[in-house]
Amino acid sequence: ALANAASALAVADENRPHFVAALVEKLSHPSMEVHDHGLVQLQQFSLWCELELRLPEAQLLPPPLRERCCDALRAVASGTAEEAALPTARMQQSVGRALGRLGLTAAAEHALAEGYSVDYALVDERIAIEVDGPSHFARSGDGAGRRPTGKTVVKRRQLAALGWRLLEVR
């Protein structure tokens, strides 16, 4: 529940200093157990606190937990997402071929130190190219199929905070 609350703050970009401090304090307790999905959420929260809120080191999650969170995001980013659809994979391959025809050398599935992976990267130019299929967008409600999920929104913001320009292919 704490990881969900932390993730929701990061997605909403709601800087509530007392709430953030309370979350960090609770999450920093040595007896706190966080499972893989929660660790991924906490990595996004941690990056939000560090990059977007620019909190001092003393107000961030402890380094061992931050390392576990980064490792969890890296593991998710390097794995094959269960919801990855064949048409999205084909579209991603098509984008890769188009980049090649343009004479661009793009690193496929480029891993960032912070745990994120981008579909293609022009590393020297710090340009990230993301091929966003259906799993990146809300499946129901107002704007279904067009409104990005919270996870996608925060990743886009954090890539920008890390100095990457993002090109989205839908």
Side-chain angles (χ1 to χ4, degrees):
L2 289 175
N4 280 331
S7 177
L9 279 178
V11 168
D13 199 19
E14 281 291 323
N15 185 4
R16 306 286 183 193
H18 296 300
F19 194 54
V20 170
L23 273 171
V24 168
E25 182 181 337
K26 288 281 189 196
L27 291 164
S28 299
H29 195 276
S31 67
M32 178 62 60
E33 284 191 37
V34 184
H35 300 288
D36 291 347
H37 180 70
L39 291 171
V40 170
Q41 291 176 312
L42 290 181
Q43 176 63 359
Q44 291 184 318
F45 170 76
S46 182
L47 287 171
W48 176 66
C49 290
E50 180 182 345
L51 300 171
E52 298 182 68
L53 298 183
R54 300 191 185 282
L55 294 180
E57 182 93 16
Q59 294 178 3
L60 300 175
L61 295 174
L65 178 57
R66 290 172 65 196
E67 188 174 317
R68 286 181 53 221
C69 294
C70 186
D71 289 345
L73 181 59
R74 191 175 293 120
V76 168
S78 67
T80 304
E82 292 176 13
E83 70 268 5
L86 190 56
T88 302
R90 286 188 189 135
M91 187 168 68
Q92 188 170 334
Q93 291 170 351
S94 178
V95 168
R97 286 190 301 273
L99 290 168
R101 285 193 301 275
L102 291 170
L104 299 171
T105 304
E109 298 301 331
H110 180 70
L112 280 61
E114 296 77 14
Y116 282 119
S117 174
V118 295
D119 296 329
Y120 293 98
L122 303 173
V123 178
D124 293 340
E125 297 85 358
R126 292 189 66 81
I127 297 172
I129 302 163
E130 287 281 275
V131 181
D132 289 345
S135 67
H136 292 269
F137 299 94
R139 294 185 179 136
S140 62
D142 189 34
R146 297 183 314 273
R147 190 179 71 247
T149 63
K151 182 177 158 184
T152 299
V153 167
V154 77
K155 180 179 180 181
R156 290 174 181 175
R157 269 199 346 258
Q158 290 177 350
L159 287 172
L162 290 165
W164 287 85
R165 288 185 292 158
L166 178 63
L167 301 176
E168 301 168 46
V169 179
R170 298 180 185 184

